[in-house]
């Protein structure tokens, strides 16, 4: 091999060699049932089967999305598996829906579900509700395209909902 190629490979591989896994439990989540996992006394936020920690829950128990666009969303999934989204202020209080719009996609790339969101009525007046149910599964990938105003630039948010 040429010396330049060897140096390049060494530079690329070095950070990987020193990467440290952030998991220090003495048990394997993938080999236990949901009931066994629920019995553990954890001192951290929710984890998936691989032990990856998840962000804090929102005021309605949903997934918080702190956007690079300067806003915060909470995504909750109802009993019909429809996504319900509220915008939150810095104190995590629900903001009114005015000109905000959201569209998105959920599920795996091989079978995506396109979602349109509409403003709810009455008690749900400050909630954007998906027109379709989310795909089956406990871990649902989502991509949302959010506009906070009609003339605002669209912001894309990618995350995984953990529905267990």
């Amino acid at each position: 091999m040429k010396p330049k190629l060897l140096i390049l490979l060494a530079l690329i591989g070095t950070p990987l060699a020193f990467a440290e896994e952030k998991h220090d439990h003495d048990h394997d989540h993938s080999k236990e049932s949901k009931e066994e996992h629920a019995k553990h006394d954890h001192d951290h936020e929710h984890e998936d089967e691989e032990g990856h920690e998840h962000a804090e829950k929102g005021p309605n128990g949903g997934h918080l999305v702190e956007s690079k666009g300067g806003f915060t969303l909470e995504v909750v999934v109802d009993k019909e598996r429809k996504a319900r989204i509220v915008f939150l202020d810095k104190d995590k209080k629900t903001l009114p829906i005015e000109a905000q719009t959201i569209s998105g996609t959920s599920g795996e790339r091989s079978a995506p579900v396109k979602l349109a969101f509409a403003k709810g009525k009455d008690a749900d007046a400050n909630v954007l509700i998906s027109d379709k149910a989310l795909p089956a599964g406990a871990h649902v990938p989502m991509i949302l395209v959010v506009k906070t105003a009609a003339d605002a630039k669209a912001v894309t948010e990618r995350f995984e909902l953990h529905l267990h």
Side-chain angles (χ1 to χ4, degrees):
M1 256 189 226
K2 295 182 178 181
K4 287 183 182 179
L5 184 56
L6 285 173
I7 292 171
L8 179 63
L9 288 173
L11 288 173
I12 292 172
T14 301
L16 297 174
F18 292 102
E20 184 177 322
E21 190 173 339
K22 286 180 58 177
H23 190 50
D24 61 354
H25 291 291
D26 58 355
H27 59 274
D28 185 357
H29 291 289
S30 65
K31 291 187 173 80
E32 64 188 9
S33 69
K34 281 186 178 181
E35 292 77 24
E36 290 171 324
H37 182 74
K39 290 179 186 175
H40 293 296
D41 181 25
H42 290 281
D43 61 352
H44 47 77
E45 298 299 326
H46 292 78
E47 290 186 347
D48 60 19
E49 286 77 22
E50 290 81 38
H52 300 112
E53 291 187 27
H54 301 290
E56 68 176 290
K57 296 284 185 182
N60 301 304
H63 179 87
L64 281 182
V65 177
E66 306 250 348
S67 174
K68 56 190 172 276
F71 55 86
T72 302
L73 300 174
E74 181 183 17
V75 182
V76 177
V77 178
D78 65 18
K79 63 182 179 254
E80 297 168 351
R81 288 190 68 90
K82 289 190 176 184
R84 300 170 53 86
I85 300 176
V86 294
F87 286 80
L88 301 173
D89 66 12
K90 62 179 172 45
D91 297 321
K92 302 222 176 8
K93 302 281 187 228
T94 302
L95 292 170
I97 298 295
E98 294 166 354
Q100 299 99 318
T101 60
I102 298 178
S103 62
T105 306
S106 66
E108 299 298 327
R109 287 183 183 200
S110 58
V113 175
K114 295 218 180 274
L115 303 172
F117 288 83
K119 186 176 177 178
K121 296 185 183 346
D122 301 325
D124 289 334
N126 293 320
V127 182
L128 291 172
I129 304 169
S130 66
D131 60 337
K132 296 179 189 141
L134 299 177
H139 302 277
V140 179
M142 290 199 71
I143 300 172
L144 297 178
V145 179
V146 183
K147 287 183 78 172
T148 55
D151 60 347
K153 184 178 178 183
V155 176
T156 302
E157 295 295 335
R158 290 174 171 80
F159 55 92
E160 188 170 282
L161 283 175
H162 299 278
L163 305 175
H164 49 84

